[in-house]
Amino acid sequence: MAEGCMRALRYSMVFFNLLFWLGGCGILGVGVWLSVTQGNFATLSSSLPSLSAANLLIAVGTIIMVIGCLGCVGAVKESRPLLLSFFILLLLIFLLEILFIILFFAYQDQIDQYAQSDLKKGLQLFGTEGNIGLTNAWSIVQTDFRCCGVTNHTDWFEVYNATRVPDSCCLEYSDNCGLENPGTWWTAPCYERVKGWLQENLVALWIFALCAALTQILGLVFSMTMFCQTVKVDTFYA
């Protein structure tokens, strides 16, 4: 009975971690693809230039692959050190995610203020040498969200020291259209537009977060159950 239970746990753990590992491979693959094909698209932040979608996906995918591989090998070999390592790493990540969510909601106003301030600093780098990624990022955001500037289109006036905006702010794009009448520019703030888009897709974000949390909880349950079973089996045959 105990042996059959262990076999079922082992297969469940291996299957779970195989899916976990494949998911990490997929995320890593998307990150690499974005890095290769969209290499000129970087972050909008001036203080965190490496915080791009591609780099985040590569980092997350690598971490998931390592943890999934650890759990899979631990399950196949019924290795208590590997199973315990898997459990501790997954628990640590789960607790950090909960802490991040709590801090985010507790300091939401301060985060908003910091983000807007940091984005405005990033505007000063727009179009400058060595910042093609940031320049392309702002151009894409303003075009796709039909907005201009962080909190207002006048944010660009301080960048150019003149009454002008980038051409990506124009209702109808054309060369040097940012020098024309303000009536031909988008005036909606990009920060609020992006924030509004996230709120509109809040249900999908929460579903994704709940699925991720459920996956992690299942991983914790499987690994600890199997760890306890190996301890019982070793004790029984001791």
Side-chain angles (χ1 to χ4, degrees):
M1 181 71 177
E3 187 178 343
C5 183
M6 276 297 297
R7 188 181 297 113
L9 273 173
R10 187 190 309 122
Y11 290 151
S12 298
M13 186 74 178
V14 170
F15 178 73
F16 171 83
N17 281 285
L18 184 61
L19 291 178
F20 204 66
W21 183 81
L22 287 174
C25 289
I27 294 172
L28 178 63
V30 173
V32 172
W33 175 77
L34 279 176
S35 181
V36 173
T37 61
Q38 305 291 330
N40 290 333
F41 184 85
T43 178
L44 299 174
S45 172
S46 59
S47 59
L48 297 170
S50 298
L51 188 63
S52 64
N55 290 342
L56 280 174
L57 288 174
I58 289 173
V60 171
T62 302
I63 292 171
I64 291 175
M65 282 180 62
V66 170
I67 293 176
C69 185
L70 191 67
C72 198
V73 173
V76 171
K77 292 185 173 294
E78 296 182 13
S79 169
R80 279 185 289 173
L82 290 179
L83 288 171
L84 189 59
S85 298
F86 174 84
F87 177 84
I88 292 172
L89 284 173
L90 199 57
L91 180 62
L92 182 62
I93 291 172
F94 186 67
L95 292 176
L96 286 173
E97 289 170 349
I98 293 175
L99 179 63
F100 174 80
I101 292 172
I102 292 172
L103 291 175
F104 176 80
F105 284 107
Y107 297 96
Q108 194 165 4
D109 292 338
Q110 292 91 326
I111 292 172
D112 271 344
Q113 291 174 6
Y114 174 80
Q116 291 181 44
S117 174
D118 188 56
L119 289 170
K120 285 183 178 180
K121 290 178 183 177
L123 296 183
Q124 301 293 332
L125 302 176
F126 185 88
T128 58
E129 186 177 354
N131 289 293
I132 186 172
L134 184 141
T135 300
N136 288 344
W138 267 112
S139 296
I140 292 171
V141 167
Q142 292 185 144
T143 301
D144 289 353
F145 286 92
R146 299 181 176 184
C147 58
C148 191
V150 180
T151 57
N152 196 290
H153 68 283
T154 57
D155 293 338
W156 290 109
F157 296 175
E158 298 177 13
V159 177
Y160 291 110
N161 291 318
T163 307
R164 67 166 295 188
V165 296
D167 294 342
S168 56
C169 280
C170 298
L171 301 175
E172 294 184 10
Y173 179 86
S174 63
D175 290 336
N176 297 318
C177 61
L179 293 168
E180 297 174 4
N181 191 300
T184 62
W185 306 335
W186 301 114
T187 56
C190 288
Y191 189 82
E192 292 301 324
R193 275 292 176 92
V194 174
K195 194 174 176 181
W197 178 83
L198 289 173
Q199 290 174 344
E200 289 173 4
N201 293 276
L202 201 59
V203 174
L205 291 172
W206 275 115
I207 290 174
F208 175 79
L210 288 172
C211 289
L214 180 61
T215 302
Q216 291 171 339
I217 290 171
L218 285 174
L220 291 170
V221 171
F222 281 143
S223 59
M224 183 49 64
T225 303
M226 191 169 183
F227 175 82
C228 292
Q229 285 294 327
T230 57
V231 172
K232 287 182 180 178
V233 170
D234 288 349
T235 304
F236 179 78
Y237 287 107

